[in-house]
Amino acid sequence: MQQQSCARIGPLREPLRVRVVQMKKSAIPMSARGRGISIASFMIAVIGFITLGMLSGLGAVGYGIFNTQGRALLLGTGSAMSEQAAIGLSLPLWNYDSVQVRKTAESVLRVDAVRGVVVRQGRNGSLAIAVYRDESGRILDWDRPMPRVDDQVHRRPVLFADESIGEVEVVMTTRPLEERLSVIRTWIIGLVLVVALLLSGTLYFLLWKIALRPIKILEQFSKHIDGETFDRSIVENTSFHGELDSLRASIIRMVGLLEDRFASLRQETRRYSESEKRFRTLVDTIPDLIWLKDYDGVYLSCNSMFERFFGATESEIVGKTDYDFVARELADFFREHDRAAMIADRPSHNEEWVVFADDGHKALLETTKTPMYDSDGKLVGVLGIGRDITARRQAEDERRALDERMNNTQKLEALGVLVAGVSHNINNVLAAILGSASLRENLATDPDDRETYAMISTATRRGRDVVKSLLQFSRPTLSERAPVEVNGLLAEVVKLYRSTSLDRVKIVEDLVSEPLWIQGDAGSITNSFMNLCINAFDAMPDGGTITVGSRPDGEDWVETWVRDSGTGMPPEVLARAMEPFFTTKEVGKGTGLGLSMTHGVVKVHGGRMEISNDPSGGCLVKIRLPRIPVPIDPASSFPVSSGVPDTLQILLVDDDPDIRFLVTRMLKANGHTVVSVAGGQDAIDRVASGPLPDLVIMDQNMPGLDGIRTMERLRETHPDLPILISSGQPDIQEWDCFKKPRVGVISKPFDMAELMGKLDEFAKVWPR
């Protein structure tokens, strides 16, 4: 029995076919197994029949000879007896002696072969006597002599003196002869059978010894070959004669070749089986979906991952099409791409969302379909490989989002560098404006002029807070930490915004009556709430209501909010509202930094910010900030200059001539003597050559020697010299180099009140 199996290694290689020939116990049919015995029986039967025929022929010839001789002897006996009876009856018949005639006839009947005697007398042949012997041997008279068919009748005339005086008939029977022939025939048949059996047995023994037994042994050896045992001792230890010995040698050589071939085939089959198992394990281990269809879209094979997709085993999938497992629309999609790959005669690629039937999870597959050909180059179908790229797509989306965040971060870093680079110059400009406004406000006598200068000062402080917020946004730190009362701050924001909103929107205060205190930078928080109000204003182009509220959230938190009555934000906009540089406004009408800057300020204050669509309509922004107890002296949070009673000798160091001019005017307006220089080296030379000043007010960012290096040089010769550093950087107050005795910091831009407040702080250390 032969089995064939075919394995294809790889889609582009020539198929490797392995032909496995395996002998099984059922390989030789039962009819073939008994064929040797049937031939032997036939040969014995033929020999027996030939022998029996020959002996039967000889017996038949002998029997025929004996029968012929017996019948000839019977004929001669009948002739002799009839002649003898004719002689014995001549005298009694002449004398008409019936007694003597009867005796003569009965004497003839004593012969076994004589059945009856009939004597006729005269010329007319009248019956003189007729006697016969019955079966028991009695002699009886014949009334009407009736010879049987098998009787022999011998007639002789009865002569007396050469003259016929009558006739005698001797009836001879063949029954004794038949009886003797029957016995002889039985003996001949028996002898023939015995001789035939003896000859047949002898011939069979010789045939068994010479041919049948070797053939039987060869048959048994073939059964061992059938069982793959290859035990050659069976035929090697048996005597073979003539052609059978040559046949045995040929069979032994053939078995040797078969043994080698079987060993090679077993090894090849084992390698093929192991290779097939490894290949199947590899295919089932691969996390991709793998399947094979024929030209008509009928599945031929698939791996275990594909079984999960259809929720069925391979045996249930093979022989069916996509229409048996998925919706018709998706099956049409699969079939279309199968045809496209086969028509184009090259791999096709596509992506498709599918749902796995085993657990119902959804996955994005990157599918490659390749036409498959047999060894003759005939198109047999299409091989499909589907790779789950859901995680990769999510990773790509996350990477794009990360890249976008990185770009925003880089923008923020660039913004931080830009803000840090220009903040000094901007603060110098703002310082000049704020200083001039505050100076004119103190000197003005007209209330309208004083109000105008006060508004200029307020706007300048807002600009200062914007610069400060930008710096905090790029470098999230607090430049100032002081107790801030939230309700008062929000009331100032509402008041300021009402004066600039042109009454297009209605602003409602919903502030709790009790004071709510936090620790932080009042300017940054004020600017953040101004940004929220501006966004709310922009969200209501046709007018509406802005509500600014506050309430305590337990003992540890203060909750504030800004709500508008606009249309709210779409979900996709709401999800990205606090991302830097994200804006829905037209180019030139927004930077996308307002909410992100506010979020940054809230974070550096240790708070949380939430944006949502209000159920009643519009957008709601909630800010929760850590609450602190009420300060002992709340008024200290808003220092007011009390003036310095003594006239001080002040050395002013700043590279900006406008700052030098305005600060000099502000100090002189309060009775101080001021000497100004443009750089750090000039200050060092001035201190070394002239009288020692009571206070040095010095800018931090200056070309050449900056404030830190100039301070270090001055402290080398005058360690107790009071120094006040002015700078526009938000975190300069936290620098360790400025946390020394008789060293203070004032942030640019500052007004006259702030400057005088700082002078009051130094009053106790100034030499009298």
Side-chain angles (χ1 to χ4, degrees):
M1 181 176 183
Q2 296 180 351
Q3 295 178 342
Q4 295 184 355
S5 63
C6 176
R8 169 167 287 211
I9 309 300
L12 299 179
R13 295 184 180 177
E14 179 68 16
L16 174 63
R17 289 184 170 84
V18 179
R19 181 181 178 89
V20 180
V21 181
Q22 184 177 4
M23 300 297 294
K24 296 185 177 179
K25 291 185 177 181
S26 60
I28 301 176
M30 294 301 296
S31 59
R33 289 185 175 186
R35 189 172 299 163
I37 298 176
S38 300
I39 293 174
S41 301
F42 177 75
M43 293 177 64
I44 293 173
V46 169
I47 293 173
F49 281 124
I50 293 175
T51 303
L52 185 61
M54 293 175 61
L55 293 176
S56 298
L58 292 175
V61 171
Y63 178 80
I65 294 173
F66 188 82
N67 185 24
T68 302
Q69 291 178 351
R71 291 187 179 279
L73 180 61
L74 182 62
L75 181 61
T77 302
S79 298
M81 293 303 295
S82 62
E83 185 176 356
Q84 183 179 357
I87 295 173
L89 290 172
S90 60
L91 184 60
L93 188 59
W94 173 260
N95 295 321
Y96 298 104
D97 186 356
S98 60
V99 175
Q100 192 61 35
V101 170
R102 187 176 185 85
K103 288 182 179 181
T104 301
E106 289 179 355
S107 64
V108 174
L109 284 175
R110 289 188 178 92
V111 178
D112 292 337
V114 178
R115 178 170 173 260
V117 176
V118 178
V119 179
R120 300 179 187 280
Q121 62 182 355
R123 293 178 180 264
N124 55 359
S126 61
L127 181 63
I129 188 173
V131 295
Y132 73 97
R133 187 177 58 216
D134 61 8
E135 298 295 333
S136 62
R138 292 179 301 175
I139 296 175
L140 302 174
D141 292 332
W142 261 349
D143 296 333
R144 297 179 64 187
M146 295 294 292
R148 293 186 302 190
V149 176
D150 57 348
D151 290 343
Q152 294 181 3
V153 180
H154 297 272
R155 294 182 180 85
R156 287 285 189 274
V158 179
L159 300 176
F160 186 81
D162 297 331
E163 182 179 353
S164 177
I165 59 174
E167 185 181 45
V168 60
E169 295 179 359
V170 178
V171 180
M172 303 294 294
T173 179
T174 60
R175 179 167 296 178
L177 178 61
E178 294 294 337
E179 291 177 355
R180 286 194 296 272
L181 289 177
S182 176
V183 173
I184 292 173
R185 185 168 59 249
T186 302
W187 276 96
I188 290 176
I189 292 173
L191 183 62
V192 168
L193 291 176
V194 170
V195 173
L197 289 175
L198 290 176
L199 289 177
S200 298
T202 302
L203 290 176
Y204 178 76
F205 176 76
L206 295 176
L207 185 63
W208 171 261
K209 183 72 174 177
I210 297 173
L212 295 181
R213 183 171 177 271
I215 292 174
K216 186 70 174 179
I217 292 173
L218 291 178
E219 181 186 9
Q220 294 176 355
F221 180 61
S222 67
K223 294 179 181 179
H224 284 285
I225 297 176
D226 182 21
E228 301 183 13
T229 58
F230 301 106
D231 185 6
R232 286 175 283 191
S233 61
I234 300 175
V235 294
E236 290 176 347
N237 298 330
T238 303
S239 298
F240 287 81
H241 304 279
E243 290 79 0
L244 290 178
D245 188 59
S246 299
L247 178 61
R248 178 187 64 174
S250 299
I251 291 176
I252 291 176
R253 287 194 299 270
M254 179 190 69
V255 168
L257 295 175
L258 287 176
E259 188 174 11
D260 295 339
R261 182 57 177 164
F262 271 125
S264 175
L265 286 176
R266 279 196 296 266
Q267 185 176 4
E268 187 175 359
T269 303
R270 184 168 55 254
R271 287 198 304 267
Y272 168 75
S273 178
E274 293 174 354
S275 175
E276 186 178 19
K277 290 179 181 178
R278 287 194 299 268
F279 177 75
R280 186 65 192 186
T281 301
L282 174 63
V283 170
D284 286 337
T285 305
I286 293 176
D288 298 340
L289 285 74
I290 302 177
W291 66 93
L292 181 63
K293 300 179 186 177
D294 65 9
Y295 186 83
D296 297 322
V298 178
Y299 281 96
L300 303 177
S301 179
C302 68
N303 68 342
S304 58
M305 182 57 71
F306 191 85
E307 292 177 343
R308 293 184 53 195
F309 172 49
F310 274 173
T313 62
E314 183 181 12
S315 60
E316 295 172 339
I317 296 174
V318 172
K320 298 181 180 179
T321 66
D322 293 314
Y323 296 94
D324 297 315
F325 297 97
V326 298
R328 185 171 189 83
E329 181 179 356
L330 184 58
D332 290 339
F333 177 81
F334 291 161
R335 187 60 182 151
E336 177 183 354
H337 284 276
D338 291 344
R339 292 195 184 98
M342 291 185 288
I343 293 174
D345 195 21
R346 64 175 181 271
S348 66
H349 308 276
N350 64 281
E351 294 181 359
E352 53 204 34
W353 282 99
V354 298
V355 177
F356 280 71
D358 62 342
D359 57 5
H361 79 276
K362 190 176 181 181
L364 177 62
L365 297 184
E366 182 182 59
T367 304
T368 301
K369 296 184 177 180
T370 305
M372 295 296 293
Y373 299 88
D374 59 13
S375 58
D376 298 328
K378 181 181 178 182
L379 180 66
V380 296
V382 61
L383 172 68
I385 300 177
R387 176 161 298 175
D388 187 350
I389 61 171
T390 308
R392 188 180 77 184
R393 179 59 57 83
Q394 292 175 350
E396 291 175 353
D397 294 340
E398 292 175 358
R399 185 183 64 187
R400 282 193 293 269
L402 180 60
D403 290 342
E404 186 175 353
R405 288 195 295 268
M406 286 295 294
N407 291 334
N408 291 337
T409 302
Q410 292 173 357
K411 291 178 183 179
L412 292 178
E413 292 177 355
L415 178 62
V417 174
L418 176 63
V419 170
V422 303
S423 61
H424 175 69
N425 296 328
I426 294 176
N427 282 329
N428 284 341
V429 174
L430 295 176
I433 298 172
L434 182 59
S436 299
S438 63
L439 179 61
R440 299 307 300 171
E441 182 182 359
N442 289 333
L443 298 177
T445 58
D446 186 359
D448 293 336
D449 292 341
R450 187 178 297 111
E451 184 179 359
T452 300
Y453 290 129
M455 183 173 291
I456 294 174
S457 298
T458 302
T460 305
R461 291 189 187 94
R462 283 192 59 201
R464 177 189 64 184
D465 293 339
V466 170
V467 175
K468 189 185 298 183
S469 298
L470 288 173
L471 287 172
Q472 288 177 343
F473 181 69
S474 60
R475 300 174 183 176
T477 58
L478 283 175
S479 60
E480 296 182 3
R481 293 181 183 270
V484 178
E485 205 284 307
V486 175
N487 287 333
L489 185 144
L490 292 178
E492 289 292 331
V493 170
V494 171
K495 179 180 178 181
L496 179 62
Y497 196 72
R498 278 175 177 164
S499 64
T500 58
S501 63
L502 303 177
D503 296 330
R504 198 181 75 184
V505 297
K506 179 181 179 182
I507 302 178
V508 177
E509 293 185 24
D510 187 12
L511 305 177
V512 71
S513 59
E514 64 177 297
L516 302 174
W517 290 88
I518 64 172
Q519 186 79 18
D521 184 359
S524 298
I525 296 176
T526 300
N527 189 62
S528 297
F529 277 101
M530 286 297 297
N531 282 332
L532 295 179
C533 290
I534 292 172
N535 286 339
F537 181 82
D538 293 339
M540 299 181 295
D542 299 328
T545 301
I546 298 176
T547 303
V548 179
S550 67
R551 69 178 182 87
D553 188 3
E555 297 181 355
D556 299 328
W557 294 94
V558 173
E559 183 177 272
T560 61
W561 63 86
V562 175
R563 179 190 295 115
D564 63 66
S565 59
T567 58
M569 297 184 185
E572 62 275 10
V573 175
L574 190 63
R576 303 183 58 190
M578 289 186 288
E579 293 184 10
F581 304 102
F582 175 76
T583 180
T584 58
K585 298 178 181 178
E586 299 178 3
V587 177
K589 293 186 178 182
T591 62
L593 292 176
L595 287 176
S596 58
M597 289 174 59
T598 302
H599 182 246
V601 170
V602 173
K603 286 182 63 178
V604 298
H605 281 80
R608 283 176 262 176
M609 177 175 171
E610 298 178 359
I611 304 177
S612 62
N613 288 323
D614 192 70
S616 61
C619 184
L620 174 64
V621 180
K622 287 184 179 181
I623 294 178
R624 300 175 75 242
L625 297 170
R627 185 178 182 182
I628 63 172
V630 178
I632 296 175
D633 186 11
S636 63
S637 300
F638 301 94
V640 178
S641 175
S642 60
V644 179
D646 297 335
T647 299
L648 300 177
Q649 297 291 329
I650 299 175
L651 176 61
L652 179 61
V653 185
D654 201 305
D655 62 315
D656 192 327
D658 295 334
I659 299 298
R660 293 198 304 270
F661 175 77
L662 287 172
V663 175
T664 299
R665 291 285 302 274
M666 292 166 65
L667 292 172
K668 286 182 177 181
N670 285 275
H672 301 294
T673 301
V674 181
V675 175
S676 63
V677 294
Q681 187 61 48
D682 294 337
I684 295 172
D685 295 340
R686 180 73 180 182
V687 171
S689 62
L692 185 66
D694 297 322
L695 175 66
V696 177
I697 300 176
M698 181 169 50
D699 187 22
Q700 163 59 23
N701 295 325
M702 295 184 297
L705 292 176
D706 58 9
I708 296 177
R709 295 170 61 189
T710 302
M711 182 184 68
E712 292 174 351
R713 293 280 297 275
L714 292 174
R715 284 299 179 93
E716 290 176 0
T717 57
H718 303 85
D720 295 329
L721 179 63
I723 298 175
L724 180 62
I725 300 295
S726 65
S727 175
Q729 299 187 21
D731 57 345
I732 193 170
Q733 295 183 13
E734 303 296 329
W735 293 9
D736 293 336
C737 59
F738 298 138
K739 294 180 180 180
K740 295 180 179 180
R742 298 186 179 223
V743 176
V745 177
I746 185 170
S747 298
K748 287 183 179 180
F750 50 83
D751 57 13
M752 183 178 292
E754 292 173 338
L755 179 59
M756 292 304 105
K758 287 294 181 181
L759 293 182
D760 286 341
E761 293 180 8
F762 278 87
K764 59 183 178 180
V765 298
W766 288 328
R768 297 290 179 177

